[in-house]
Amino acid sequence: MAAEIHPKPLTRRPVLLNKIEGSQDVVNAAVIIPKEDGVISVSEDRTIRVWLKRDSGQYWPSVYHAMPFPCSCMCFNPETRRLSVGMDNGQISEFVLSDDYNKMTQARSYQAHQNRVTVVLFVLEMEWVLSTGLDKNFTWHCSESSQRLGGYRTTSWVSCLQFDVETRHAFVGDHSGQVTIMKLEQESCSLVTTFKGHTGSVTALCWDSVQRVLFSGSSDHSIIMWDIGGRKGTAIELQGHNEKVQGLCYAHHTKQLISCSSDGGITVWNMDVKRHETPEWLDSDSCQKCEQPFFWNFKQMWDSKKIGLRQHHCRKCGKAVCGKCSSKRSTIPLMGFEFEVRVCDSCYESITDEERAPTATFHDSKHSIVQVHFEATRGWLLTSGADKILKLIVPTGGKCYRPNSSQYMKNLRLPKLPLTSVNMCKGVWPHCLLTLFRKDHFRLRPPAPRHTKLESIYCSPEEPDTVSSSCLENYLIVLKNTLSQK
């Protein structure tokens, strides 16, 4: 079957909170520091940098550490402030950051692989450091003694890794397109099963320990949701990218899957809907609708004196059909097809407008994404680009209000708060001014056009028309002169 060119859906730009520039080469990995206005990044320029937000609103490095080899991956544990960095020579170095994130001390370093380290994971509960490399080895070491505990040889080099602490299952995605599940013990491992569903290499994995669901992204532009907890072998396919999937993150509070691709596309999937598996494609020597022979069915072609037709498949029913019987295109969001795909004429008529309602939103990050990290407490997404730039963005979920002088914004109701709780916090200026209303209520109104340095305010996804109290604590919502005039 020939590849289909999918039309690019309408996209909207996500809310850009900040850009971090200064790296001399591609940033291979970066994480947001929880409960801090900070970011940790490792780069091909052999540097580890800890970026902290200054009073000016810009991020500047508080730690700049040069490594002997390019840094390929990293893992940061905020509880212990332990940073594990994998390098191009197969070595893993561990560091401990100070309380104020202004100092970094090297704890240990050991040779884990014979080639570039692709993924490193630190498991605090087990005191293990899991790692994979281009040498096709999956290993785990003791984080206290640096002793190698065990390893597993894969058939292809590993590109992504996830671990479930409760069951000690490791999920390994490799370049051949399969996901291998292994049960780890202290010094041994056993193969559980292997998932095969992608036609390209597995490039991203995301494990949801609550729902017991594994998401896998691939260079074939698709995402597969493997329902491991349901024990029914269910695999839901999601098609919403035009390039290979580079990162996957799951937001529990909004039940959304965030996927990013190498062309800068960010897709946010609503997973709070009942989705259906895509049907298997049926084999047939003739069209299962009009019974016209396909071009390899010489006997029927000779008997009917007709030229054979090309075979296609309906994405909804899976039947083998000819081009004339499948001339229509339609989206099928509940089956994961956010783009228009080929369907037979009968299935096209059966699809209702409700079934065509999209279950995903599309955004454009405006740079080629290499790696992503999602900070769930604030709903922030950190993207590393091939342009050597880090972007802190709010992908979706809440509403970002950006009023302008030509369009007046409606008032928003805010929760009752004591006057003392509304104060200046961290010097961040929102787009909307807050005015005192009826003593204990506040309302948002658009600012005057002269306020050009104001930033947007982010509302909670649970109550999109209400600004939460935590939002008030993180942003400067009240101008001193506004309250003083009241």
Side-chain angles (χ1 to χ4, degrees):
M1 185 192 70
E4 295 187 21
I5 300 175
H6 300 294
K8 195 167 185 179
L10 294 176
T11 61
R12 63 172 181 259
R13 188 178 301 180
V15 182
L16 179 63
L17 299 179
N18 220 311
K19 284 201 305 185
I20 303 175
E21 303 176 84
S23 299
Q24 302 302 313
D25 210 331
V26 176
V27 179
N28 287 319
V31 297
I32 302 172
I33 303 176
K35 301 179 182 179
E36 293 284 342
D37 282 330
V39 170
I40 305 174
S41 67
V42 297
S43 172
E44 284 286 340
D45 62 5
R46 305 184 180 188
T47 62
I48 303 174
R49 307 185 194 211
V50 180
W51 308 81
L52 295 181
K53 193 173 184 179
R54 307 303 181 185
D55 294 337
S56 62
Q58 299 298 317
Y59 284 82
W60 292 90
S62 63
V63 173
Y64 181 98
H65 184 84
M67 301 292 286
F69 296 93
C71 303
S72 56
C73 56
M74 63 168 286
C75 178
F76 177 66
N77 183 268
E79 298 180 20
T80 60
R81 298 186 307 281
R82 185 179 300 181
L83 179 67
S84 304
V85 180
M87 289 184 288
D88 203 42
N89 67 333
Q91 198 175 58
I92 296 178
S93 295
E94 295 186 5
F95 302 87
V96 178
L97 292 166
S98 60
D99 294 340
D100 56 2
Y101 294 97
N102 285 313
K103 185 180 180 182
M104 187 172 68
T105 305
Q106 185 167 0
R108 60 186 60 84
S109 182
Y110 48 89
Q111 192 73 31
H113 298 273
Q114 300 302 315
N115 209 325
R116 182 183 178 96
V117 182
T118 55
V119 184
V120 59
L121 284 179
F122 171 65
V123 185
L124 177 61
E125 293 81 359
M126 315 298 301
E127 289 293 339
W128 288 351
V129 176
L130 314 179
S131 63
T132 60
L134 292 182
D135 57 359
K136 301 182 182 179
N137 282 326
F138 163 58
T139 63
W140 60 101
H141 292 72
C142 176
S143 61
E144 296 179 336
S145 63
S146 303
Q147 180 183 358
R148 175 173 170 147
L149 300 176
Y152 180 84
R153 180 78 174 178
T154 60
T155 57
S156 182
W157 65 270
V158 179
S159 51
C160 43
L161 172 68
Q162 291 283 279
F163 184 74
D164 181 49
V165 177
E166 183 180 349
T167 61
R168 295 189 182 183
H169 283 154
F171 307 95
V172 180
D174 60 36
H175 197 64
S176 67
Q178 68 181 18
V179 179
T180 305
I181 302 179
M182 291 175 288
K183 171 83 171 181
L184 300 189
E185 301 298 339
Q186 186 66 24
E187 296 182 356
S188 64
C189 70
S190 57
L191 180 64
V192 178
T193 187
T194 300
F195 292 156
K196 296 180 181 180
H198 291 289
T199 58
S201 60
V202 179
T203 53
L205 286 177
C206 178
W207 169 247
D208 179 18
S209 59
V210 178
Q211 301 182 79
R212 317 296 297 174
V213 171
L214 179 70
F215 299 95
S216 63
S218 171
S219 59
D220 61 8
H221 313 170
S222 69
I223 301 167
I224 298 179
M225 181 180 73
W226 310 90
D227 187 7
I228 298 176
R231 299 182 181 274
K232 295 180 180 180
T234 306
I236 306 296
E237 190 173 350
L238 304 175
Q239 297 281 354
H241 289 283
N242 290 312
E243 292 293 337
K244 71 174 181 178
V245 180
Q246 291 286 72
L248 294 170
C249 311
Y250 186 76
H252 293 278
H253 62 290
T254 57
K255 295 183 179 179
Q256 291 175 323
L257 175 69
I258 304 171
S259 59
C260 303
S261 57
S262 58
D263 61 353
I266 301 176
T267 305
V268 182
W269 307 83
N270 178 18
M271 304 308 296
D272 196 20
V273 294
K274 186 177 180 180
R275 296 184 178 272
H276 309 290
E277 283 187 285
T278 54
E280 293 186 9
W281 286 4
L282 303 178
D283 292 328
S284 178
D285 293 329
S286 58
C287 177
Q288 293 181 307
K289 293 293 182 178
C290 66
E291 299 183 354
Q292 291 288 331
F294 293 131
F295 63 86
W296 62 83
N297 190 353
F298 296 107
K299 185 179 184 304
Q300 188 176 351
M301 288 167 56
W302 178 263
D303 294 341
S304 62
K305 301 295 189 291
K306 293 181 180 179
I307 299 177
L309 304 176
R310 185 180 176 185
Q311 177 183 265
H312 300 281
H313 283 89
C314 174
R315 302 306 192 270
K316 191 174 190 297
C317 64
K319 290 183 178 181
V321 291
C322 64
K324 185 177 180 181
C325 295
S326 58
S327 58
K328 304 293 179 60
R329 301 289 187 275
S330 175
T331 59
I332 319 174
L334 294 181
M335 295 181 69
F337 297 111
E338 294 291 335
F339 302 123
E340 289 188 347
V341 292
R342 181 185 297 271
V343 293
C344 63
D345 295 346
S346 58
C347 286
Y348 181 84
E349 298 298 332
S350 66
I351 301 175
T352 63
D353 292 338
E354 289 78 10
E355 291 176 327
R356 290 190 176 94
T359 60
T361 57
F362 301 89
H363 312 261
D364 190 1
S365 65
K366 298 298 183 183
H367 73 156
S368 179
I369 296 177
V370 175
Q371 184 262 355
V372 297
H373 177 255
F374 182 67
E375 212 279 301
T377 57
R378 287 174 285 189
W380 290 1
L381 190 71
L382 178 65
T383 63
S384 308
D387 54 2
K388 311 172 190 177
I389 297 177
L390 298 174
K391 289 187 178 183
L392 267 172
I393 61 179
V394 178
T396 189
K399 292 182 179 179
C400 183
Y401 297 96
R402 291 185 180 273
N404 51 55
S405 57
S406 62
Q407 187 177 11
Y408 196 87
M409 185 188 67
K410 65 178 182 179
N411 287 337
L412 301 177
R413 293 175 298 170
L414 297 178
K416 293 183 179 181
L417 293 172
L419 188 61
T420 56
S421 67
V422 184
N423 52 18
M424 298 179 64
C425 301
K426 299 184 179 180
V428 181
W429 297 85
H431 238 309
C432 308
L433 308 184
L434 196 67
T435 56
L436 187 61
F437 181 73
R438 294 182 184 175
K439 295 183 180 180
D440 56 359
H441 283 73
F442 297 92
R443 282 193 177 181
L444 288 173
R445 61 179 176 84
R450 65 179 179 274
H451 297 290
T452 58
K453 295 183 178 181
L454 306 182
E455 296 182 2
S456 60
I457 182 169
Y458 180 63
C459 301
S460 65
E462 293 85 358
E463 299 176 284
D465 290 335
T466 304
V467 180
S468 61
S469 57
S470 61
C471 183
L472 293 177
E473 294 173 358
N474 292 329
Y475 290 88
L476 173 61
I477 304 182
V478 179
L479 297 174
K480 274 187 174 181
N481 56 0
T482 304
L483 286 180
S484 63
Q485 293 175 1
K486 299 295 179 180

